[in-house]
Amino acid sequence: MNKLCLGTYLQILIRNTIKGTTQKELINRIVSLFTNDFDDSSTATSKLALGLNNPTNLIIVAANRLNADEKTALIDGFKEKIVELIDPNKKESIIRLLSILIKEDNSIADSTIINDISSLKKESLDGKSDDIAKFLAGLLLYVLRCTDNRKEKGEVNNIVDKIQAMEADYSFLVNEKKNDFVYTSGQDDELKELLRHQKKMDEERIEREAREFCIKYSDKRKLIYLCQIANITSPLTKHGREMYNEYCRLSSATQKKILDLYEMHHIKECEGELWWYKYLDCFIKEYREYDLGSKDYEYLFYQYFHRAESRGIIDIRYFHDRIFCPTVMSQTGYDNDLDVLGLIDEYVYYKEMPQYRNSFTRPMDKIWKMANLASCDEDDLLVWLCLFIEGTCWGIRRCDQNDYDKAEVIMDLPNRNNLETMEDMFLYTLLSLYEVYGNL
């Protein structure tokens, strides 16, 4: 039985609210976090709570399209509108009941990320959470995106009754490595052979799935690094490139096997989908340290850069950024225009030399003027911001002998020629932030 759905999620909340709170009030507050266009009648809310109806497409689409800022706003909405309706003595119980509900749902794989906001996996559930608003908001996004409310039609209350009966004695202590067995001398030889056979079958399946993926995308091998970033940042989002979607659907064991087959380095899991903001802060710190542009432009990176994530299908292959005449390199016989990376590379390398100290315009100032960032199309602005972040990440490293040990990693990463869409570029920019600032 598929136990987790919108109805069971809501019933657990409904049964643990403060006195005087109606089912209608609670559900309408939750729905209003996504849209103001909904049926707020008692009949409509009851059908959601009993598993008779699915939420409207308007609600589901709104849940699917939330960007990072909107997900933060969703958490705030839970804190302001929902948590205040919960009995303070029942908060821990709600988290525990929902965790048991998920653990007992055999249709959800252990490696599944069931909280899109905190990247919490089913196998990591322990019945506890320090932030109930974040826990409820992230789980609700998974419920709206990945479950069918009508599959539990007529069974919602029975399911929640059984979960509540299990609560007191339920143990979350499970062996996460289900194929690692410890045998005793008294175990039956036939059972041991059966278990060995099962383990071998699982290993062969993982190998087969990994090889199928590698063969299918053999011409896109370097994009596997971007697959890892997509899986860390937005594993439940429908991506524009199907390669990312397929990678996110694979088990963690199969993903690891793919990286092992290609001998690619593994990108460690980061905390939350907004993990990259701390690295963006590191970028801004270097922006100031190397005087790469006016402080007036810093807001662009915080206010606009993240929007590139929602512009996934826009084709960026047309984009031409090799428009900057070199300031010093032309004197050494280099007669080609520079791209953003070259512009920053030249600036950082030469600007402190006495003979060139007053020869340069700061890179961001030059881009602002030449690319007309004050009034250009927003899509173009987003590309320029991505290029500038990437250029800063790698341009400064080129000029710093202390970062020479990064050369082998840089050679293995995708490059501009591998990128086709804004989604590719956004993920590559996040990869650049991770590779450069994750090791500082």
Side-chain angles (χ1 to χ4, degrees), residues 84-193:
E84 69 175 8
L85 299 181
I86 295 173
D87 185 334
N89 296 315
K90 301 294 183 64
K91 290 180 180 179
E92 292 182 3
S93 180
I94 286 176
I95 294 170
R96 185 171 173 81
L97 289 169
L98 288 170
S99 299
I100 296 171
L101 181 69
I102 297 164
K103 282 286 192 179
E104 291 300 304
D105 192 331
N106 295 327
S107 70
I108 303 175
D110 286 343
S111 61
T112 300
I113 294 176
I114 50 83
N115 192 310
D116 183 27
I117 295 176
S118 62
S119 299
L120 178 67
K121 294 183 179 180
K122 176 184 176 180
E123 62 191 7
S124 301
L125 285 169
D126 60 1
K128 300 176 183 178
S129 176
D130 295 329
D131 189 340
I132 188 172
K134 188 174 183 179
F135 182 89
L136 293 177
L139 179 56
L140 179 60
L141 290 179
Y142 175 85
V143 168
L144 292 174
R145 294 169 175 175
C146 304
T147 67
D148 185 346
N149 204 30
R150 292 173 298 186
K151 282 189 176 181
E152 306 306 339
K153 182 178 180 180
E155 290 296 322
V156 168
N157 280 310
N158 290 335
I159 291 171
V160 176
D161 287 342
K162 292 177 182 178
I163 296 300
Q164 285 184 318
M166 299 168 65
E167 182 185 6
D169 299 321
Y170 196 87
S171 174
F172 289 89
L173 298 176
V174 295
N175 182 5
E176 294 179 359
K177 296 182 178 180
K178 294 186 176 180
N179 289 325
D180 292 343
F181 301 98
V182 178
Y183 303 111
T184 64
S185 58
Q187 283 185 301
D188 184 80
D189 289 341
E190 184 177 348
L191 176 59
K192 289 193 288 184
E193 183 59 34

Side-chain angles (χ1 to χ4, degrees), residues 30 139 208:
I30 292 174
L139 179 56
R208 182 177 66 255

Side-chain angles (χ1 to χ4, degrees), residues 175-217:
N175 182 5
E176 294 179 359
K177 296 182 178 180
K178 294 186 176 180
N179 289 325
D180 292 343
F181 301 98
V182 178
Y183 303 111
T184 64
S185 58
Q187 283 185 301
D188 184 80
D189 289 341
E190 184 177 348
L191 176 59
K192 289 193 288 184
E193 183 59 34
L194 178 63
L195 294 175
R196 289 195 198 97
H197 177 71
Q198 181 62 51
K199 184 174 182 178
K200 181 180 179 182
M201 292 289 288
D202 288 344
E203 291 173 348
E204 290 177 350
R205 174 184 54 78
I206 291 169
E207 178 89 17
R208 182 177 66 255
E209 290 175 351
R211 290 186 180 277
E212 287 174 353
F213 183 90
C214 290
I215 292 171
K216 182 174 182 179
Y217 296 108

Side-chain angles (χ1 to χ4, degrees), residues 388-403:
F388 194 88
I389 294 172
E390 296 162 17
T392 299
C393 288
W394 302 122
I396 292 175
R397 307 286 92 63
R398 279 185 179 181
C399 301
D400 192 337
Q401 292 299 314
N402 293 327
D403 285 332

Side-chain angles (χ1 to χ4, degrees), residues 40-58:
D40 62 354
S41 66
S42 297
T43 300
T45 54
S46 292
K47 287 183 177 180
L48 289 177
L50 294 173
L52 300 178
N53 281 353
N54 275 320
T56 64
N57 287 335
L58 192 63

Side-chain angles (χ1 to χ4, degrees), residues 102-340:
I102 297 164
K103 282 286 192 179
E104 291 300 304
D105 192 331
N106 295 327
S107 70
I108 303 175
D110 286 343
S111 61
T112 300
I113 294 176
I114 50 83
N115 192 310
D116 183 27
I117 295 176
S118 62
S119 299
L120 178 67
K121 294 183 179 180
K122 176 184 176 180
E123 62 191 7
S124 301
L125 285 169
D126 60 1
K128 300 176 183 178
S129 176
D130 295 329
D131 189 340
I132 188 172
K134 188 174 183 179
F135 182 89
L136 293 177
L139 179 56
L140 179 60
L141 290 179
Y142 175 85
V143 168
L144 292 174
R145 294 169 175 175
C146 304
T147 67
D148 185 346
N149 204 30
R150 292 173 298 186
K151 282 189 176 181
E152 306 306 339
K153 182 178 180 180
E155 290 296 322
V156 168
N157 280 310
N158 290 335
I159 291 171
V160 176
D161 287 342
K162 292 177 182 178
I163 296 300
Q164 285 184 318
M166 299 168 65
E167 182 185 6
D169 299 321
Y170 196 87
S171 174
F172 289 89
L173 298 176
V174 295
N175 182 5
E176 294 179 359
K177 296 182 178 180
K178 294 186 176 180
N179 289 325
D180 292 343
F181 301 98
V182 178
Y183 303 111
T184 64
S185 58
Q187 283 185 301
D188 184 80
D189 289 341
E190 184 177 348
L191 176 59
K192 289 193 288 184
E193 183 59 34
L194 178 63
L195 294 175
R196 289 195 198 97
H197 177 71
Q198 181 62 51
K199 184 174 182 178
K200 181 180 179 182
M201 292 289 288
D202 288 344
E203 291 173 348
E204 290 177 350
R205 174 184 54 78
I206 291 169
E207 178 89 17
R208 182 177 66 255
E209 290 175 351
R211 290 186 180 277
E212 287 174 353
F213 183 90
C214 290
I215 292 171
K216 182 174 182 179
Y217 296 108
S218 59
D219 61 332
K220 304 290 184 183
R221 171 180 171 176
K222 287 196 172 184
L223 293 185
I224 292 175
Y225 283 112
L226 304 190
C227 288
Q228 292 188 74
I229 294 295
N231 188 57
I232 290 170
T233 308
S234 48
L236 301 181
T237 298
K238 184 176 181 181
H239 298 279
R241 188 184 284 276
E242 186 58 26
M243 180 182 183
Y244 302 148
N245 294 324
E246 290 193 26
Y247 186 88
C248 290
R249 293 187 195 109
L250 296 173
S251 69
S252 57
T254 303
Q255 292 172 354
K256 181 179 183 301
K257 176 59 70 173
I258 291 170
L259 301 179
D260 290 343
L261 289 174
Y262 277 134
E263 296 183 347
M264 289 181 164
H265 73 281
H266 296 228
I267 296 175
K268 65 182 180 181
E269 290 192 11
C270 303
E271 185 178 349
E273 64 173 22
L274 300 180
W275 58 270
W276 49 269
Y277 266 96
K278 65 180 180 181
Y279 298 141
L280 192 62
D281 290 339
C282 295
F283 154 76
I284 291 296
K285 183 178 179 181
E286 287 201 322
Y287 176 91
R288 296 171 181 172
E289 179 183 348
Y290 288 89
D291 194 24
L292 298 180
S294 168
K295 185 176 176 61
D296 294 339
Y297 304 140
E298 291 180 11
Y299 80 94
L300 293 170
F301 300 101
Y302 289 111
Q303 184 171 331
Y304 289 98
F305 166 61
H306 68 88
R307 299 186 186 182
E309 183 178 20
S310 62
R311 305 289 213 283
I313 62 174
I314 293 175
D315 191 337
I316 54 93
R317 287 173 291 184
Y318 77 92
F319 201 89
H320 179 63
D321 71 319
R322 194 173 286 276
I323 62 173
F324 306 102
C325 180
T327 301
V328 174
M329 293 169 61
S330 57
Q331 301 174 26
T332 65
Y334 187 88
D335 57 1
N336 295 320
D337 288 336
L338 301 174
D339 58 11
V340 174

